[in-house]
């Protein structure tokens, strides 16, 4: 049931007649999709949460301006997009020259599963929804100027007509179309060349086997085995820590320099974030008598090889719904 239908059922002509609990109930139906929209705009899970809260606050304060010319959902998207643009104007730096996005944060698949189905049964819609939440897409989007970024997401991800985007941004249709072309060109520049070959979605048997071997080799800190799974031009980053490593030899050398070789006491939990395979690693802590969170690797697999590893710190574990500790082996 749409929020607009609910308004009719309530017997009111506009949101100005709705009390706060009722309004909150109407808005909450759209929280997850608005959160994902803000996440695409901002690249940060936590900034997206703050922006959705700001969206709901603005919507409540401006509820009398809702005239019913658009749907309630579209009205919320308008407010959310402008809230994102306001945040970007205030405090978002440009990505580093090498392509780093230090504010990038992962998005748990378990929350993506809460998104309304809509017309996601269409294969093309499924592909768009999957590819536009993967980390490589999020990184590429962050290289766009804020308004072309908004145009790209509203037009290519949400499928809004150009005239609706123009109305939202206070621009002409020609300006929106021009911004969309610039944004698409920028995305081609920053997206991986093999984007059409991304695995995504349901992993095939080969990908699952590769992830299993990667996990086993990581626990054993077997660097030669890990190196054999990497593509020559593999990319490795660890936001928010600066440093982008490109190329198998460079990545392997960084692991050696960080003392990864010979590390003991690791355990792993397979998971998935941003519709990509991921592995959460835990390190044995004798004083705690348990394995505690260490890092989580999010992988992009192309053509049977690992083409990108984005590693996140242990502070992401709670957001991703991962255990805060693992008991000694055999004690589960």
């Amino acid at each position: 049931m749409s929020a607009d239908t609910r308004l009719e059922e309530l017997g009111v002509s506009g949101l100005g007649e709705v009390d706060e609990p009722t309004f909150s109930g109407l808005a909450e139906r759209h929280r997850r999709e608005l959160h994902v929209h803000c996440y695409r705009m901002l690249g940060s899970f936590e900034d997206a949460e703050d922006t959705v809260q700001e969206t709901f606050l603005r919507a409540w304060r401006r509820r009398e301006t809702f005239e019913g010319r658009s749907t309630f959902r579209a009205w919320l998207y308008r407010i959310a997009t402008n809230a994102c643009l306001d945040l970007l104007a205030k405090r978002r730096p440009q990505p580093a020259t090498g392509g780093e996005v230090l504010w990038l944060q992962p998005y748990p698949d378990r929350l993506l599963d809460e998104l309304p189905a809509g017309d996601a049964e269409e294969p093309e819609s499924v592909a768009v929804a999957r590819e536009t939440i993967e980390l490589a897409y999020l990184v590429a989007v962050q290289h766009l100027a804020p308004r072309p970024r908004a145009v790209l997401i509203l037009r290519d991800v949400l499928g809004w007509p150009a005239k609706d985007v123009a109305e939202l941004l206070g621009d002409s249709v020609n300006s929106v179309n021009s911004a969309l072309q610039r944004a698409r060109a920028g995305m081609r520049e920053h997206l991986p060349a093999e984007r059409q070959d991304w695995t995504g979605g349901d992993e095939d048997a080969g990908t699952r086997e590769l992830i299993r071997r990667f996990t086993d080799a990581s626990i054993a800190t077997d660097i030669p085995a890990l190196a054999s799974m990497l593509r020559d031009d593999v990319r490795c980053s660890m936001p928010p820590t600066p440093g982008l490593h490109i190329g198998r030899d460079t990545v392997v050398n960084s692991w050696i320099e960080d003392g990864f070789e010979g590390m003991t006491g690791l355990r792993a939990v397979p998971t998935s974030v941003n519709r990509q395979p991921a592995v959460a690693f835990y390190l044995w802590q004798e004083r705690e008598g348990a394995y505690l969170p260490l890092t989580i690797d999010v992988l992009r697999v192309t053509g049977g090889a690992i083409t990108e590893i984005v590693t996140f710190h242990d502070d992401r574990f709670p957001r991703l719904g991962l255990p805060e500790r693992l008991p000694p082996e055999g004690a589960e």
Side-chain angles (χ1 to χ4, degrees):
M1 182 188 303
S2 72
D4 306 284
T5 303
R6 178 72 185 279
L7 284 176
E8 295 172 3
E9 289 188 345
L10 291 171
V12 297
S13 59
L15 292 177
E17 302 174 43
V18 172
D19 60 23
E20 187 170 3
T22 302
F23 181 89
S24 296
L26 296 173
E28 282 293 332
R29 298 166 183 234
H30 303 285
R31 176 180 289 275
R32 182 57 56 206
E33 60 177 312
L34 289 171
H35 190 269
V36 171
H37 174 61
C38 293
Y39 174 70
R40 284 191 177 102
M41 285 284 295
L42 304 172
S44 162
F45 186 97
E46 291 171 358
D47 283 349
E49 282 204 328
D50 292 343
T51 306
V52 171
Q53 288 301 111
E54 174 65 16
T55 296
F56 286 173
L57 182 61
R58 291 185 186 186
W60 169 248
R61 288 175 174 171
R62 302 174 188 174
R63 61 192 182 282
E64 294 184 357
T65 66
F66 177 69
E67 300 174 348
R69 290 183 299 177
S70 65
T71 65
F72 180 70
R73 175 176 177 267
W75 184 67
L76 288 176
Y77 267 97
R78 177 194 301 268
I79 297 171
T81 301
N82 282 315
C84 289
L85 292 173
D86 289 345
L87 184 146
L88 290 169
K90 284 192 299 185
R91 61 183 178 89
R92 179 67 85 237
Q94 287 295 311
T97 304
E100 292 181 83
V101 177
L102 298 181
W103 57 88
L104 183 68
Q105 295 176 343
Y107 205 108
D109 279 10
R110 63 186 176 85
L111 296 184
L112 292 173
D113 291 339
E114 295 177 4
L115 286 170
D119 54 1
E121 297 304 317
E122 295 294 327
E124 185 176 352
S125 298
V126 172
V128 168
R130 183 181 70 237
E131 292 182 0
T132 60
I133 203 66
E134 293 192 2
L135 292 177
Y137 182 92
L138 268 293
V139 169
V141 163
Q142 299 303 302
H143 286 79
L144 303 178
R147 289 176 78 82
R149 183 186 313 183
V151 169
L152 179 88
I153 293 171
L154 291 167
R155 292 282 284 116
D156 283 359
V157 179
L158 297 179
W160 280 32
K163 63 180 181 61
D164 292 350
V165 177
E167 183 180 350
L168 186 154
L169 296 174
D171 278 337
S172 67
V173 170
N174 285 341
S175 294
V176 164
N177 289 335
S178 177
L180 180 60
Q181 294 309 311
R182 293 196 306 273
R184 286 173 175 170
M187 292 296 284
R188 286 193 294 272
E189 181 180 346
H190 293 287
L191 278 173
E194 74 286 350
R195 184 184 175 212
Q196 297 303 318
D197 300 325
W198 291 4
T199 52
D202 296 329
E203 297 166 18
D204 59 29
T207 298
R208 289 194 296 272
E209 173 62 16
L210 179 66
I211 302 305
R212 186 196 64 76
R213 291 193 292 114
F214 173 85
T215 303
D216 291 347
S218 296
I219 292 173
T221 63
D222 186 342
I223 289 184
L226 288 169
S228 71
M229 304 177 214
L230 307 180
R231 201 170 68 175
D232 288 345
D233 60 350
V234 65
R235 297 165 63 92
C236 189
S237 60
M238 192 175 184
T241 303
L244 177 66
H245 303 291
I246 302 175
R248 182 191 294 120
D249 291 343
T250 302
V251 169
V252 168
N253 288 337
S254 73
W255 289 342
I256 294 173
E257 291 170 4
D258 290 342
F260 177 65
E261 193 172 29
M263 180 184 291
T264 59
L266 288 173
R267 285 187 68 184
V269 173
T271 185
S272 59
V273 302
N274 294 78
R275 301 304 189 201
Q276 296 176 242
V279 185
F281 292 101
Y282 293 74
L283 182 64
W284 174 254
Q285 300 291 344
E286 188 67 37
R287 180 178 298 180
E288 296 285 337
Y291 292 86
L292 299 186
L294 183 64
T295 55
I296 178 168
D297 287 349
V298 184
L299 309 176
R300 180 162 58 86
V301 176
T302 307
I306 295 170
T307 55
E308 185 166 23
I309 305 172
V310 183
T311 301
F312 295 100
H313 295 280
D314 59 358
D315 63 330
R316 294 294 96 200
F317 279 57
R319 292 287 192 188
L320 298 174
L322 291 162
E324 61 181 29
R325 59 173 54 212
L326 298 178
E329 292 185 84
E332 289 91 339

